[in-house]
Amino acid sequence: MGYWGYFTVAESASPLGGLACTRAIPGLTLNRRLSGNWQVWEHPAEPDIEADDLALALAEETGKPALVGFVMDSDCVVIEAADSSNGAWTACLSPKAMASYLAEDGQRLEDFMLTPEQAAEHAVIWATLTGNQVEVAPLADIFQKEADPFAEDLFFTLLRGLSLA
């Protein structure tokens, strides 16, 4: 059995767990600090968190872009990213595994997630708003990769690709 849980990423001088939008989430703990005031907080899979709402709330409260990743059994990650001026976008890491999860419910990946190329384009804009300049092609590669062996490793590869780590 793999890891099920959330990673919440935002920039703040104060702990993310103490912000108004996260205070009511029990079990949210600091996973690691990244460059500058960027932080990664972690939460076990239960109770369910509305990741898109959380990403938007973090972006609004901090005034900076935010990102939430929901890791599914270490197989794949739903990425919810937001900033206060452009809203939110949804993508995934390990798309073949994600497609398999969705197919179990008769759903299709393309009905919920951006393609890897689209996700990379959105990620470049998102990164620019963090003050980082990144390239589309390496990010598209990250969004196309499959977990080997753990999807959470891909999540942290994405953070490096966004120049946050």
Side-chain angles (χ1 to χ4, degrees), residues 24-140:
I25 302 173
L28 190 64
T29 59
L30 179 66
N31 176 283
R32 66 187 72 181
R33 293 190 179 278
L34 304 173
S35 61
N37 286 324
W38 284 93
Q39 305 169 40
V40 179
W41 285 64
E42 184 175 357
H43 186 279
E46 297 297 331
D48 286 336
I49 294 173
E50 293 295 329
D52 55 341
D53 292 341
L54 179 56
L56 279 168
L58 278 165
E60 289 174 10
E61 189 168 346
T62 64
K64 310 272 178 136
L67 188 144
V68 177
F70 176 54
V71 181
M72 301 171 62
D73 202 19
S74 292
D75 293 330
C76 51
V77 184
V78 177
I79 300 293
E80 299 286 355
D83 67 82
S84 57
S85 58
N86 297 310
W89 51 274
T90 304
C92 70
L93 300 173
S94 198
K96 288 179 186 171
M98 180 66 69
S100 293
Y101 275 98
L102 290 171
E104 291 174 10
D105 292 330
Q107 299 171 329
R108 299 175 334 144
L109 182 68
E110 52 273 12
D111 293 336
F112 297 97
M113 311 285 172
L114 296 172
T115 66
E117 295 78 16
Q118 292 168 325
E121 290 170 6
H122 279 78
V124 166
I125 295 166
W126 188 94
T128 300
L129 295 170
T130 71
N132 295 320
Q133 299 301 313
V134 298
E135 298 293 323
V136 171
L139 289 170

Side-chain angles (χ1 to χ4, degrees), residues 3 6-12 14-17 28-43 67 71 150-160 164-165:
Y3 175 80
Y6 297 87
F7 291 110
T8 302
V9 182
E11 183 180 26
S12 176
S14 59
L16 296 184
L28 190 64
T29 59
L30 179 66
N31 176 283
R32 66 187 72 181
R33 293 190 179 278
L34 304 173
S35 61
N37 286 324
W38 284 93
Q39 305 169 40
V40 179
W41 285 64
E42 184 175 357
H43 186 279
L67 188 144
V71 181
F150 305 111
E152 47 273 41
D153 293 340
L154 272 179
F155 180 78
F156 289 101
T157 298
L158 175 63
L159 296 184
R160 285 189 299 279
L164 297 180

